[in-house]
Amino acid sequence: MSDAAIRRPLEPAKIFIELAATALIVAALSITLVGFHVKDVPGGFDVVTRFWDVLAAVVIAVVGRGWLIGLREGVPFPVAVTATPIAGILLLALISDWLFGGTLSETLRPILPFNSSVVQWLVAGIAAMFAAVGVTRAARERSAKSVEASEKFDDDAADFMDKVAAGAQRYTAWIGAGLLVVAVVLPFLPFMNLSTLDIAVLVLTYVMLGWGLNIVVGLAGLLDLGYVAFYAVGAYSFALLASPDSPVLQMMGIKEGVSFWLALPFAGMMAALAGIILGFPVLRLRGDYLAIVTLGFGEMIRVTLLNFYSLTRGPDGISKIPPPGILGYSTQPVMDNDTLENTTEFHTWIGREFDQYDNTILLYYVILVMALLTNWFTLRIRKLPVGRAWEALREDEIASRSLGINPTNTKLTAFALGAMFGGFAGSFFATRQTFVSPESFTFIESAVILAIVVLGGFGSQIGVVVASFLLIGMPELFRELQDFRMLFFGAAMVLIMLWRPSGLLARREPTIRLKDPPARGIRRERIKTREGDAPTTDAQSGDDLATGDRRP
Amino acid sequence: MTSPMTQPMTQPLLSVEHLTMRFGGLVAIDDVSFAATDKEITAIIGPNGAGKTTVFNCLTGFYKPSVGRLALTWDGREFLLEQMEGFVIAKTAKVARTFQNIRLFPKMTVLENLIVAQHNKLMRASGYSVRGLFGFGYQGKEAEAVEIARYWLEQINLVDRADDAAENLSYGDQRQLEIVRAMCIEPKLLCLDEPAAGLNPRETADLNKLLLFLRNEHKIGVLLIEHDMNVVMQISDHIVVLDYGRKISDGEPEAVRNDPAVIRAYLGEDEDEELPDIVKQDLAGDGADDGPETQA
C-alpha cells in the first residue's frame, strides 16, 4: 500500500480478475434486488423482470472500477480520456433537461436507465469526479514527469475529508454565512415547491434537535438515548396549552388555546424541568449506565402518554393545535360559525388568498430562527465557564472534581438546557403537525437524532447540518427509489462510518487562544486590525473571544 | 522511631489526626497522624501498598475516612476536610491535587486546561454564565484568567504550546502542566501524587526546581508522594514514612534516612546497606502500582 513512488508494471490478468469480480458481485446483488420487481396488479401480483437494469448496473460498476484501478495504478491518462466525454454527455443531457424541461436524457435511456433523477445526477456526478481527478492527475504527470505524482487514490480520499473538516472549521464564518444566506432565501428560489419546502422544514427541525442534543452529547459527553422524551414533553405541553381540544383547557372551561408565542417558552420550561427531574437521580451514572437509564426514561414518557388518557387522550392524540399566528391574526382559514367575518385571518388582513405555501414559509422561518438561536446559544456557551466545564467533565470527570467543578450541577445544566431546546423543537413539531400522538415519539426518533450528532462529528455545529441533510433530507429526496432508499441509506451510513469513524466534520476548535490562530483568511485579518488598536482586548466581536495578542 | 515529631509553633496548615481507612476487612490506613505546614514540602514515602495514595484520596474527598480528623487551617479559618465533598475541598478549602496517572483534559488545549482550573472564579465573574451569555463585563475577567495562565506557562516554558491540545505534549510537559493547572485554583495545599514518575533525570531536575519555586515564592504547603529518592531527599523539608498503613517514621530527611524502622521497612530485616541506593533498586523492580487508584 505504501510504495506508491515506484510505478509497478500493470498486470492485465489481475486487473481483469478484479473487474470480473466486480461485475460478478454487482450482478449477484442486483439480480435479486433490481432484476425481479414484484408489482401489484388487480387480483394479485406480477413479477416484472428488468434485466436491462441489471446489465446497466454491472456496466456502470465495471467502468467505475476500471477508472478507480486506472487512478490507483498511476495511469490517469486513459481515465481522463474516457471519463471526460462520458461525464460531459451525461451532465449536458441532465442540465439541458433541467433547464429547458427537454427530453434529451430520454434519448440517453440506454446509458442512464433509471427512473430517478437523483440517481442520474449521482451517476453523472461520480463520472465528473473521476474526470476531474483523472485530468488533474494526467496534467500533473505530464508537467512534472515524475512518478511520485501518482499517489494512492485511497490515501487522497482519507486525507480529503480531514482537509474538508479543517477547512470547514477555518472558514466557519464564511460557510456559516453562505449557508445562512441560502437558508434565508430558500423559500423564494425558483425550484422550490410545497413538498421541497416541507422537507426543508423537516430538516431544520432535526438540525435544531441535533444542535440541542449536541449540548448534552457533544459538549458534556453524556450519552442520552432518550432525547425524544424531552421532544415529547415539549410537544405535549404545547398541545395541552394551545389546542382547544386539550383536556386541561376543557377541564378549566377555557375554549381558546394559548397562542404559539406564549406556549412556546412554557413548553421549553416544562421540558427543562423534565430534564432536571430525570437528571437528579441519574447523573451520577456514567457512560453505558446513563445511556440505558435515559433510554428507559424515553420509553417511560411514551408509555405514560399512551396510558394517561384523561390528560393526553392516549393513542387518540391531541388535535386542532393551531399554527403560529402573526400579530394576533390566525394564519389558517378560520372556521368559526359564530362570526362569519374573516377579520382574524392574516392573509385576509394583508389582502392575499390563502396559500399553503405561504404558511409553510412562515413555519420555515420560525424553525430557522429557533434553530439559529440554538446555534448561537451553543457557540456562545462553549466559550463561557459553564461550557468549558462541560467539556472538562467530558474529558475527565475526576480531574474536574479535583479542580473544584461541581459535577452534578454542571451536568444538570447541560441536561436541562439540552432538554429545553428539545422542548422548543417539540412545540414546533406540534404546531406544524397540528396533531400529536405518542406514536411520533418512539425510540427510533432518539436514535436518528443521536445518529445526526454522531455522524456530523461530536460537537461540530456544521456537521449537524450536513448530517441532518444526509439523514433526513436525502431519504425524503430519494423517495423515488421506493424500497431501495433504505438500502442506499444503510450503505451510505456504513461507508461514512468506515471512512470517518469519528464523524464527518469532527474537529475541535479551541474556545480561546493565546496567540494568532494559524489560519489564513478572515481570522488573520481580523486579528491584524485588532493589533493596530489599543492593547486592551476587552472589546470583542461576537464569535471570537480570543484575547488577542499581547506579547510585548 | 527516635526522631521527634516536628511540632510547628502555630497551628499547622494541615493536621491529620488518627486517620483510619478501612475497605471492608482491609485496613488501608491505620491510625495515622501527621502535620504539614505551609512554606514546606512534606513528603509521604513508603513501599508499594503502604497507603500513601489512600491518604491523598481521603484528603481530597475521594474517600470518606472511616475514622479521623483532617483539619486544614489558613487565614484563621478551619476546614474539616473529612466532612466536605470532593469538589468543595478544592473550591473552598483550596486543596489541589495531581494524579499518579496524569489526568489532563487531553482534547482541550493547554491554555483551556488552565482556564478550566479557574472555573469557580470565572463562574462568579460571568454571573454563573447567564450574564456572560449576553457579554456583560466578563471579558475583562477572562483576560485576567488568561494572564494568570500565561504566568504559569512561563514558569514551565510552555507559552509556545499554549494553543496545542494537551494530549500532544511530551510526558514530562504533561506532568508539569498538571501541576500548574492545580496551581491555577490558587491552592493553600498542593498534593502531588508521584510527580516524578516516568521522568528522565533532566525533567526531574526541572520538577525539583518548580516545586521549590512553588514553596518559596507562592508560600504554599506541598504534600508529596514520591518514590524517587532524588526528589524526596533533595527538596523535602519533612518526611512521613508509611508502611502497611501505619506511620513508622516522621521527621527531617536526615533523621528519616537513618531511622532503623525505615530501613527495615524497605529492606526487611537486613540493615547493612545505605537506604537510598537500595530504595532505588527496590523501586526499579516495581511499577507504579501503589494502592487503590482514585475511583469515583
Side-chain angles (χ1 to χ4, degrees), chain A residues 201-224:
Chain A
V201 171
L202 189 68
V203 169
L204 275 179
T205 314
Y206 279 91
V207 168
M208 175 161 177
L209 283 168
W211 278 341
L213 185 61
N214 215 354
I215 296 175
V216 184
V217 179
L219 288 183
L222 304 167
L223 186 52
D224 184 354

Side-chain angles (χ1 to χ4, degrees), chain A residues 286 377 380 384-386 388-389 392 395-396 398-402 404-406 508 510-515 550, chain B residues 62 87 90 99 103 105-107 109 112 115 119-120 123 129 132-133 135 138 142 146-147 159-160 162-163 296:
Chain A
R286 268 190 263 173
F377 180 86
R380 192 101 185 111
L384 288 167
V386 167
R388 295 210 183 96
E395 298 283 298
D396 194 325
I398 288 172
S400 308
R401 206 147 29 123
S402 79
I405 294 172
N406 182 339
R508 190 178 174 278
T511 59
I512 189 168
R513 283 180 181 280
L514 198 61
K515 288 168 283 182
R550 288 183 164 206
Chain B
F62 286 94
F87 77 91
F99 296 87
R103 285 185 176 275
F105 306 121
K107 295 273 186 298
T109 65
E112 283 173 317
I115 301 278
H119 175 76
N120 286 308
M123 276 296 266
S129 293
L133 200 58
Y138 164 61
E142 193 182 59
V146 172
E147 283 316 302
V159 181
D160 289 339
D163 297 328

Side-chain angles (χ1 to χ4, degrees), chain A residues 256 259-261 323-331 334 343-346 349:
Chain A
E256 277 287 295
S259 93
F260 174 81
W261 306 106
I326 306 173
L327 303 170
Y329 289 90
S330 166
T331 50
V334 178
T343 46
T344 53
E345 293 176 4
F346 182 72
W349 187 55

Side-chain angles (χ1 to χ4, degrees), chain B:
Chain B
M1 229 180 302
T2 47
S3 62
M5 285 271 283
T6 325
Q7 280 297 346
M9 328 261 179
T10 51
Q11 179 83 317
L13 175 66
L14 171 75
S15 108
V16 173
E17 290 163 27
H18 306 293
L19 175 65
T20 302
M21 182 78 217
R22 297 192 199 94
F23 296 102
L26 177 82
V27 183
I29 311 172
D30 187 5
D31 196 21
V32 168
S33 301
F34 67 93
T37 42
D38 53 354
K39 296 172 240 162
E40 263 196 21
I41 296 177
T42 306
I44 302 178
I45 64 170
N48 287 331
K52 306 183 294 290
T53 299
T54 310
V55 170
F56 265 32
N57 284 343
C58 290
L59 279 177
T60 49
F62 286 94
Y63 295 155
K64 287 266 168 278
S66 314
V67 180
R69 184 166 174 278
L70 309 168
L72 188 79
T73 316
W74 47 268
D75 292 357
R77 298 166 70 191
E78 191 182 54
F79 302 90
L80 295 177
L81 302 183
E82 77 275 10
Q83 295 174 0
M84 299 166 87
E85 249 193 281
F87 77 91
V88 185
I89 290 178
K91 188 177 163 183
T92 54
K94 298 283 180 198
V95 176
R97 73 169 291 179
T98 66
F99 296 87
Q100 203 170 338
N101 43 356
I102 305 173
R103 285 185 176 275
L104 290 169
F105 306 121
K107 295 273 186 298
M108 301 175 85
T109 65
V110 171
L111 180 65
E112 283 173 317
N113 267 276
L114 299 185
I115 301 278
V116 165
Q118 305 175 50
H119 175 76
N120 286 308
K121 191 173 64 186
L122 290 174
M123 276 296 266
R124 276 191 297 278
S126 66
Y128 295 88
S129 293
V130 178
R131 201 145 41 79
L133 200 58
F134 304 101
F136 300 127
Y138 164 61
Q139 280 92 342
K141 280 283 174 200
E142 193 182 59
E144 266 174 43
V146 172
E147 283 316 302
I148 291 173
R150 181 197 291 278
Y151 167 80
W152 285 112
L153 289 177
E154 276 162 5
Q155 307 311 317
I156 58 172
N157 293 322
L158 279 182
V159 181
D160 289 339
R161 307 289 309 269
D163 297 328
D164 294 346
E167 63 185 351
N168 293 341
L169 295 182
S170 71
Y171 187 81
D173 286 345
Q174 291 193 15
R175 281 261 175 227
Q176 297 217 336
L177 178 62
E178 201 191 13
I179 294 170
V180 299
R181 185 184 67 178
M183 285 307 294
C184 279
I185 77 166
E186 294 165 11
K188 301 289 176 183
L189 177 69
L190 177 65
C191 304
L192 304 173
D193 198 345
E194 292 197 28
L199 300 189
N200 65 32
R202 204 180 51 89
E203 287 168 334
T204 306
D206 286 347
L207 177 77
N208 282 354
K209 224 160 52 185
L210 177 67
L211 295 186
L212 289 173
F213 170 77
L214 296 183
R215 181 192 67 182
N216 299 337
E217 300 296 319
H218 287 270
K219 316 282 187 215
I220 60 165
V222 178
L223 205 56
L224 176 75
I225 291 179
E226 191 47 74
H227 280 308
D228 188 332
M229 290 302 148
N230 275 331
V231 177
V232 173
M233 292 300 165
Q234 277 175 27
I235 65 170
S236 341
D237 303 297
H238 172 198
I239 295 178
V240 176
V241 189
L242 299 183
D243 190 25
Y244 292 112
R246 293 216 178 93
K247 187 172 85 171
I248 56 169
S249 182
D250 186 342
E252 302 198 343
E254 205 48 47
V256 166
R257 190 200 294 262
N258 300 318
D259 188 334
V262 175
I263 296 169
R264 218 173 14 249
Y266 273 92
L267 300 180
E269 294 304 316
D270 190 357
E271 293 174 21
D272 290 344
E273 290 182 71
E274 259 236 306
L275 172 67
D277 291 334
I278 298 304
V279 169
K280 268 185 236 157
Q281 277 174 25
D282 178 34
L283 294 172
D286 290 301
D289 180 58
D290 181 10
E293 233 302 277
T294 313
Q295 299 282 331

